[in-house]
Amino acid sequence: MIYIPSKSEADWKQFLAQPDKQWKDGYSAKSLAICWQRANGIPEKVKKIFANTTAIELKDVEMLFGIPEYKVALPRGRESQNDLFVLARTDKEIFPIMVEGKVNESFGPLVIEWVKNMSDGKKERLEYLCKLLNLTNKNIDNIRYQLLHRTASAIITANKYHCNIAMILIHSFSQLNKSFKDYSDFCKLYNLEAQLDTIIGPVILNGVRVYWGWVKDEV
């Protein structure tokens, strides 16, 4: 796959699943594109949470490249289409950051909703995700499905690039912190306490040290 450098945030629109519906002022896709494109690297609010983290291996992070709407293949069905894949580096590590932009959007259906009329394909995919995320024996009925496959996509990408670390970053432009509780509920599965503007973890999953972070920013 060959990728062409973007000249402006408008170049991101073509990669959206539903460009006419998703590319609007105040929506996450456009807000995220403006923020990251104009930063020409890692945005200031994101840099700040890395600067404040207690995880030494994440200090002095810089962006090598980013790919908008990055698709990661999963068993039986559609890929996980991440808003932005960033390959980052520090003095110690190279690692993927899967960035999920949010304003008022949710993290999709609850797992208990997603499994209604369970097909063989859905069953196989959920079993795969639970095994990869070490959640086989956990009650995930009230967890948002998107948080599962976004975390999985970060781990899969880390394995692909032979990285020891992966990160899932929620870049929120909601001043009301919409969906933060859903994010917090997911983190509790790993006995982690979610906090605003903070990196938490790591948890070792499939041989990868996985971190999560939530950044509160402005459109």
Side-chain angles (χ1 to χ4, degrees), residues 8 12 23 31 48-49 65 78 81 89 106 127 148 150 152 167 190:
S8 74
W12 294 42
W23 191 259
S31 299
K48 187 174 181 180
I49 73 163
F65 63 79
R78 293 171 54 188
Q81 187 164 335
R89 63 159 291 169
S106 74
E127 287 176 350
L148 299 181
R150 289 291 190 265
M167 183 173 181
Y190 299 105

Side-chain angles (χ1 to χ4, degrees), residues 7-215:
K7 295 179 181 179
S8 74
E9 57 268 13
D11 292 333
W12 294 42
K13 179 181 177 180
Q14 62 187 301
F15 302 111
L16 293 168
Q18 298 175 299
D20 293 335
K21 180 179 178 181
Q22 295 171 288
W23 191 259
K24 294 180 180 179
D25 291 339
Y27 281 56
S28 63
K30 192 170 185 179
S31 299
L32 191 75
I34 290 171
C35 187
W36 283 81
Q37 182 72 35
R38 296 183 184 179
N40 195 28
I42 298 177
E44 287 303 316
K45 286 288 183 73
V46 179
K47 283 183 181 178
K48 187 174 181 180
I49 73 163
F50 279 100
N52 293 336
T53 183
T54 57
I56 301 300
E57 61 186 355
L58 299 182
K59 290 287 189 181
D60 301 316
V61 68
E62 63 180 271
M63 178 177 172
L64 297 178
F65 63 79
I67 303 176
E69 301 302 322
Y70 184 75
K71 297 178 180 179
V72 176
L74 297 171
R76 301 293 295 272
R78 293 171 54 188
E79 304 98 333
S80 179
Q81 187 164 335
N82 296 268
D83 291 343
L84 176 64
F85 158 43
V86 173
L87 189 65
R89 63 159 291 169
T90 66
D91 290 341
K92 301 179 183 296
E93 302 281 352
I94 292 176
F95 62 99
I97 305 173
M98 292 304 179
V99 183
E100 182 67 23
K102 291 296 179 205
V103 181
N104 294 316
E105 304 91 341
S106 74
F107 289 105
L110 298 171
V111 171
I112 196 170
E113 298 167 344
W114 184 78
V115 299
K116 286 181 179 178
N117 303 316
M118 174 84 85
S119 64
D120 290 342
K122 280 190 173 184
K123 182 179 180 182
E124 182 181 335
R125 175 175 285 217
L126 189 59
E127 287 176 350
Y128 170 84
L129 291 173
C130 287
K131 182 177 180 181
L132 183 68
L133 302 177
N134 196 24
L135 296 174
T136 301
N137 297 317
K138 296 287 184 79
N139 183 350
I140 59 171
D141 285 352
N142 292 312
I143 299 300
R144 296 285 173 179
Y145 172 65
Q146 189 182 73
L147 287 164
L148 299 181
H149 64 83
R150 289 291 190 265
T151 301
S153 69
I155 296 167
I156 292 166
T157 305
N159 290 153
K160 177 180 178 180
Y161 285 91
H162 301 284
C163 301
N164 299 313
I165 293 172
M167 183 173 181
I168 301 86
L169 178 68
I170 312 303
H171 196 155
S172 171
F173 299 91
S174 168
Q175 298 311 296
L176 299 176
N177 305 319
K178 291 278 190 178
S179 297
F180 182 78
K181 183 182 184 303
D182 290 320
Y183 167 73
S184 177
D185 289 343
F186 176 81
C187 293
K188 286 176 183 176
L189 293 172
Y190 299 105
N191 297 316
L192 296 174
E193 182 181 352
Q195 299 178 53
L196 297 174
D197 297 322
T198 302
I199 295 172
I200 57 176
V203 174
I204 298 176
L205 300 172
N206 205 46
V208 177
R209 299 192 298 279
V210 182
Y211 291 88
W212 292 264
W214 181 290
V215 174

